[in-house]
Amino acid sequence: MTRTLSRRGFLKSAAAAGAVLYIGATAKGAMAASGSADAMLTPFVKIDSSGGVTAIVKHFEKGQGPATGLTTLIAEELGVTMDQIDYEFAPSDPAVYNNLLFGPFQGTGGSTAMANSWMQYRTAGANAREMLIKAAAQAWGVDAASLDIQDGLITGAGNSAPLGEFVAQAATFEPVETPRLRDPADWKIIGKEATRRKDSPVKVNGTAKFAMDVHLDNQMVVMIKRTPQRGGQVVGIDDSAAKEVKGFIMAQTLPTKLGVAVYAENTWAAMQAREALEVNWDFSAAESRSSQDIKDEIMAALNAKAEYNVNKADQAAVAATIDGAATVVEKTFYFPLLAHAPMEPLNCTIEQTAEGDIVLHDGAQMPTGPHMAYQQIFGLPAEKIHIKTMLAGGSFGRRATPDADYQVEAGLAFVMTDRSRPVKLVWDREDDIRSGYYRPAVGHKVRVGLDAEGTIIGWDHQVAGQSIMKGTAFEAFAVRDGIDHSSVEGIADSPYSIPGKALGLTDTKKATSVLWWRSVGHTHTGYVMEVMMDMAARAVGKDPVAFRLAYLGGEQDATRKAGVLKFAADKGNWGNPAPGNVQGIAVHKSFGSYVAEVVEISGNLDDGIQIEKVTAAVDCGIAVNPDVIKAQIEGGIGYGIGHAMRDQITLDGGAVEQSNFPDYEPLRISDIKAIETHIVASAEAPTGIGEPGTPPSAPALANAIAQLDLVVAELPMAENGVSFA
Amino acid sequence: MAISLKLNGKTHQVEAEPGTPLLWVIRDELKLTGTKFGCGVASCGACTVHLDGEPVRSCQTFIEDVEGSEITTIEKMEDDTIGAAVQQAWLELDVVQCGYCQSGQIMNAVGLLRENAKPTADEVDDYMHGNACRCATYQRIRAGVLRASEILEA
């Protein structure tokens, strides 16, 4: 049986090969299978007549695991093994592949891939199972209730056949909104530690295709010579030396005047030609401040009245309470700009088809962004633009820019050609470190008052820094009453029941492009909350774990946080470090998940410290792929600790001083000797895992270092009194 | 200049300017994309290949210096006893996350096991120190090398 599924080009080739069953949700949210050429299809699972099952994964894979996780959900409900199912990334179509938590927008971020797909993909898999069973039941003349699918075989009532035999008939049935989901007690893949990643094999034998590995026939490689100071404008170019480079094609100033596109036959020629190109810049409107200027502005804001009273507290009353407290603990913190530096430098490739369509090959984190931008750049309707999502070599937030920065750059470079040759835009590491979007620099000033019993009676918390969301397309839902929630998340919504809390926020002036960076505001709020909790506990002579637990009673939100704190303390031998070692602990909730970490270090401040072990406990609801969760916690810890140890982006006269890994040193293998992760058993719906491991890691390390009598309130640690062995 | 390149057991005639990094000949000319570009300054190890069996950073290895040498990339590792063991260990432990650095990690790990069949954890850390992984899969890399050593011993 051949079906015609003309609505979407990507379906055609598969359909032509034979009967294919697609199951998904329509734009309206109801479930529908492909009954006819007119059916509104939004497939999450595709099954061909030979029984080949493919999960259509709507989230991109940057290592965080959705290629495995979303595939797991389909496989579990349908009744196939992980070896019997393949995956492919969804095309760009926000009407059907949108992130359910982002509205009509297709994208990955905020650790939402599993949280928003959990019911959607299980429902799609369950519908496929029920439709296939119904077809088999009719063919065999038996009751559908007597059949099940296991390991790809429809079995029951004395019959057994591969599911592929019933694909054609099953495709004539209508899926339902609420098919029967399998009982969690019967799960064979979900929650099983033994489940392996679907993307491992290609990533260990060199065949994995990242965007950087796209090589289209006759393509040109483009690199951009960018302004060294943000806001600098091109006023003239001299390409005479570039012309001496073999393989150089041309140099064209971008319409934005923010850089010059250098076209070449291959990457090395593009690099050399860009180096040889001379550009005259106009810096009159460019950023000229240095890091110290930015820091001074933030510190001044912390000492002035806050622009926003975030929690509508009586600030004067809170201040008075603290003034009269038996014990007052006070600290001012500063966090520098940070680059994301994913392992694969940013890149993407554009081509124009014979029909005049535009195809973008990209490790696309938010396909809707470039999809919309390209409609403007190329003057084409949405259906003439296609995005092919490739594997991404990390992101940490960097590939998700609200203004689709690098994809727009590639689009502008392509539109300046006759479009006969594909254009591959390549950034190198220097582009990445110098021209990237940064975690904003942020300051906090906190005063905590405790009574004679050592109980918190007032917590005055001021935050100042550049807003991430303001001025972007995300402002509408992330900013309320002028307050960018991402600047205060982790404080404003902390599960701690802290009496007498005042929270003020001041937005400082735009100094550079800023962007969410793995765990967004929690990168600094988690640090400050947890270092202050430790300081307060020590000031009144209480154990840091017991002290925190006093503020974590009652609500489920607090008890889950208390649960991971106690779990990590238990598994990390809290209070009993190896001889000569000291420990620190921190706990934080972010993206719906709760993570506590115990860091144990050896050494001392004179000779250098060594991180011996990090023990983590995580509660992220149902653990769909436990080993992927452990890997994300391990990676989240490394990302948080690595930057806290050594990294910062600094500006000198508006120019970024760092350029590559030698001066933006990554975490190295010897920096952390061991990490152990424990997962809380839970029946709650899954929550985020890509980011929650990061926030508690640096404060847990800081709290361990505090045992050596140094409270690190400014990062990176290596620049502020800590040496590492 | 015309160069005769011995790579993965075959001889290729390539045309490249002196000073061209081996990395770009492998990726752009020979279209073997398993070898990755990460930093260009020998600071991350994503571009690691073997030159006569020894791990080198191909971004800082120049084309005029490799004529006559045997170059091996990740694409050939499954035919190498140690390479296959490392790949098996990587699969058993699901070492990879984004995976972009892992070709280089594996090539370097094979170099270590070739000269030290039974390394300690500290020896693994010393040898693998120059290979960056921004996903921080390090503890699985360490465990993976030790596991590969066991596989080879069995």
Side-chain angles (χ1 to χ4, degrees), chain A residues 196-197 200 203-204 209 212-213 267 340-341 429 627 631 634 643 660 667-669 672-673 675, chain B residues 17 21 27-28 31 33 36 38-39 43 87 92 94 97-98 122 129-130 134-135 138-140 142:
Chain A
R196 297 291 85 191
R197 290 183 71 105
S200 267
K203 288 177 175 178
V204 306
K209 290 296 175 203
M212 190 68 98
D213 302 327
T267 318
H340 306 70
R429 184 58 58 194
D627 198 49
E634 291 159 16
H643 292 86
N660 201 320
L667 183 87
R668 299 286 181 174
I669 192 169
I672 302 175
K673 291 290 183 190
I675 300 177
Chain B
E17 295 299 294
R27 286 185 57 84
D28 281 0
K31 313 276 197 295
T33 55
K36 302 302 188 196
C39 70
S43 184
Q87 287 174 326
E92 284 180 15
D94 264 353
Q97 287 185 32
C98 91
D122 283 344
H129 190 268
R134 295 291 292 165
C135 299
Y138 294 123
Q139 78 155 12
R140 291 181 189 228
R142 182 187 300 121

Side-chain angles (χ1 to χ4, degrees), chain A residues 62-63 195-197 199-201 203-206 208-210 212-213 215 246 266-268 271 339-345 392-394 396 424 426-430 518 627 630-632 634-635 638-639 643 647 660-662 664-670 672-676, chain B residues 1 15 17-21 24 27-29 31 33-41 43-46 62 74-75 77-78 87 90-103 106 121-122 124-126 128-142:
Chain A
K62 54 182 162 174
T195 302
R196 297 291 85 191
R197 290 183 71 105
D199 55 346
S200 267
K203 288 177 175 178
V204 306
N205 67 15
K209 290 296 175 203
F210 296 84
M212 190 68 98
D213 302 327
H215 195 113
K246 193 177 175 193
N266 57 60
T267 318
W268 179 239
M271 287 177 171
H340 306 70
M343 206 70 221
E344 178 193 14
F396 316 113
K424 178 177 185 175
V426 175
W427 286 36
D428 65 7
R429 184 58 58 194
E430 286 79 5
R518 195 176 194 168
D627 198 49
K630 288 182 177 178
Q632 284 308 295
E634 291 159 16
Y639 202 70
H643 292 86
D647 295 325
N660 201 320
F661 288 141
Y664 195 77
E665 175 71 12
L667 183 87
R668 299 286 181 174
I669 192 169
S670 53
I672 302 175
K673 291 290 183 190
I675 300 177
E676 192 178 288
Chain B
M1 61 187 278
E15 185 66 36
E17 295 299 294
T20 303
W24 295 114
R27 286 185 57 84
D28 281 0
E29 301 304 317
K31 313 276 197 295
T33 55
T35 305
K36 302 302 188 196
F37 165 56
C39 70
V41 297
S43 184
C44 77
F62 303 102
I74 185 69
E75 285 87 353
M77 276 303 102
E78 60 192 24
Q87 287 174 326
W90 251 239
L91 291 176
E92 284 180 15
L93 300 175
D94 264 353
V95 171
V96 310
Q97 287 185 32
C98 91
Y100 193 81
C101 73
Q102 297 293 349
S103 296
I106 290 168
D122 283 344
V124 172
D125 284 8
D126 282 347
M128 300 297 290
H129 190 268
N131 283 72
C133 173
R134 295 291 292 165
C135 299
T137 63
Y138 294 123
Q139 78 155 12
R140 291 181 189 228
I141 289 170
R142 182 187 300 121

Side-chain angles (χ1 to χ4, degrees), chain A residues 172-492:
Chain A
T172 67
F173 303 139
E174 290 295 315
V176 296
E177 279 198 51
T178 53
R180 185 185 66 81
L181 298 175
R182 290 192 189 272
D183 185 336
D186 297 331
W187 285 342
K188 292 178 161 183
I189 311 171
I190 294 174
K192 306 303 181 202
E193 185 101 23
T195 302
R196 297 291 85 191
R197 290 183 71 105
K198 288 297 286 183
D199 55 346
S200 267
V202 294
K203 288 177 175 178
V204 306
N205 67 15
T207 60
K209 290 296 175 203
F210 296 84
M212 190 68 98
D213 302 327
V214 169
H215 195 113
L216 302 179
D217 283 348
N218 204 30
Q219 74 180 21
M220 295 187 280
V221 173
V222 168
M223 297 189 84
I224 309 291
K225 186 135 183 161
R226 295 187 181 78
T227 170
Q229 283 169 250
R230 181 185 168 78
Q233 298 256 309
V234 178
V235 290
I237 65 172
D238 174 1
D239 63 0
S240 53
K243 283 176 172 161
E244 300 299 312
V245 174
K246 193 177 175 193
F248 169 75
I249 298 169
M250 63 176 174
Q252 300 272 9
T253 301
L254 291 173
T256 57
K257 306 256 188 260
L258 295 174
V260 180
V262 178
Y263 302 74
E265 296 294 341
N266 57 60
T267 318
W268 179 239
M271 287 177 171
Q272 290 181 294
R274 182 176 67 163
E275 181 76 28
L277 183 76
E278 297 285 344
V279 179
N280 283 324
W281 300 97
D282 173 3
F283 295 125
S284 58
E287 176 63 51
S288 60
R289 287 180 292 166
S290 296
S291 294
Q292 190 60 46
D293 302 323
I294 295 165
K295 184 177 177 185
D296 289 347
E297 184 193 353
I298 287 172
M299 290 302 162
L302 291 176
N303 290 317
K305 183 173 162 52
E307 190 176 3
Y308 303 106
N309 181 347
V310 176
N311 65 342
K312 308 278 191 285
D314 182 341
Q315 293 170 316
V318 170
T321 300
I322 296 169
D323 288 342
T327 304
V328 177
V329 180
E330 184 169 352
K331 203 75 185 173
T332 299
F333 297 82
Y334 186 72
F335 300 87
L337 296 169
L338 290 175
H340 306 70
M343 206 70 221
E344 178 193 14
L346 298 179
N347 70 92
C348 59
T349 304
I350 303 188
E351 62 178 324
Q352 181 168 292
T353 68
E355 295 76 33
D357 289 12
I358 295 292
V359 182
L360 172 69
H361 305 256
D362 181 24
Q365 181 159 1
M366 299 196 312
T368 304
H371 205 144
M372 289 167 67
Y374 281 14
Q375 291 171 53
Q376 290 201 341
I377 292 174
F378 296 102
L380 289 173
E383 61 270 23
K384 298 280 282 179
I385 294 161
H386 313 275
I387 298 177
K388 189 166 166 43
T389 296
M390 309 297 295
L391 289 170
S395 173
F396 316 113
R398 183 61 185 88
R399 292 178 203 277
T401 46
D403 54 0
D405 69 321
Y406 68 95
Q407 296 101 333
V408 165
E409 217 173 60
L412 295 176
F414 189 53
V415 90
M416 290 193 293
T417 70
D418 66 6
R419 307 191 201 175
S420 64
R421 301 183 68 179
V423 159
K424 178 177 185 175
L425 172 79
V426 175
W427 286 36
D428 65 7
R429 184 58 58 194
E430 286 79 5
D431 291 318
D432 174 59
I433 300 284
R434 288 202 162 136
S435 307
Y437 285 41
Y438 303 121
R439 192 283 301 272
V442 185
H444 291 238
K445 184 177 179 184
V446 190
R447 289 174 75 226
V448 179
L450 302 103
D451 66 15
E453 281 74 49
T455 301
I456 297 173
I457 53 173
W459 183 294
D460 183 10
H461 200 138
Q462 304 298 314
V463 182
Q466 190 177 325
S467 164
I468 294 172
M469 303 291 180
K470 285 186 179 177
T472 75
F474 293 88
E475 179 167 346
F477 74 73
V479 179
R480 289 279 180 275
D481 301 327
I483 298 161
D484 179 345
H485 181 69
S486 78
S487 298
V488 291
E489 59 184 357
I491 311 169

Side-chain angles (χ1 to χ4, degrees), chain B residues 105-127:
Chain B
Q105 302 282 0
I106 290 168
M107 296 307 286
N108 215 55
V110 172
L112 165 59
L113 292 170
R114 207 168 264 159
E115 67 179 59
N116 180 357
K118 278 196 72 65
T120 64
D122 283 344
E123 286 170 341
V124 172
D125 284 8
D126 282 347
Y127 197 92

Side-chain angles (χ1 to χ4, degrees), chain A residues 680-701:
Chain A
V680 174
S682 173
E684 300 291 330
T687 45
I689 201 56
E691 295 168 274
T694 299
S697 61
L701 172 59

Side-chain angles (χ1 to χ4, degrees), chain B residues 22-94:
Chain B
L22 175 61
L23 169 67
W24 295 114
V25 173
I26 292 171
R27 286 185 57 84
D28 281 0
E29 301 304 317
L30 303 177
K31 313 276 197 295
L32 287 172
T33 55
T35 305
K36 302 302 188 196
F37 165 56
C39 70
V41 297
S43 184
C44 77
C47 66
T48 304
V49 300
H50 291 173
L51 197 64
D52 296 325
E54 295 270 338
V56 297
R57 308 306 193 214
S58 65
C59 73
Q60 290 292 324
T61 301
F62 303 102
I63 194 72
E64 62 270 27
D65 298 329
V66 299
E67 194 152 26
S69 297
E70 185 65 48
I71 302 155
T72 315
T73 68
I74 185 69
E75 285 87 353
K76 193 69 175 168
M77 276 303 102
E78 60 192 24
D79 297 337
D80 179 291
T81 306
I82 297 174
V86 172
Q87 287 174 326
Q88 181 190 330
W90 251 239
L91 291 176
E92 284 180 15
L93 300 175
D94 264 353

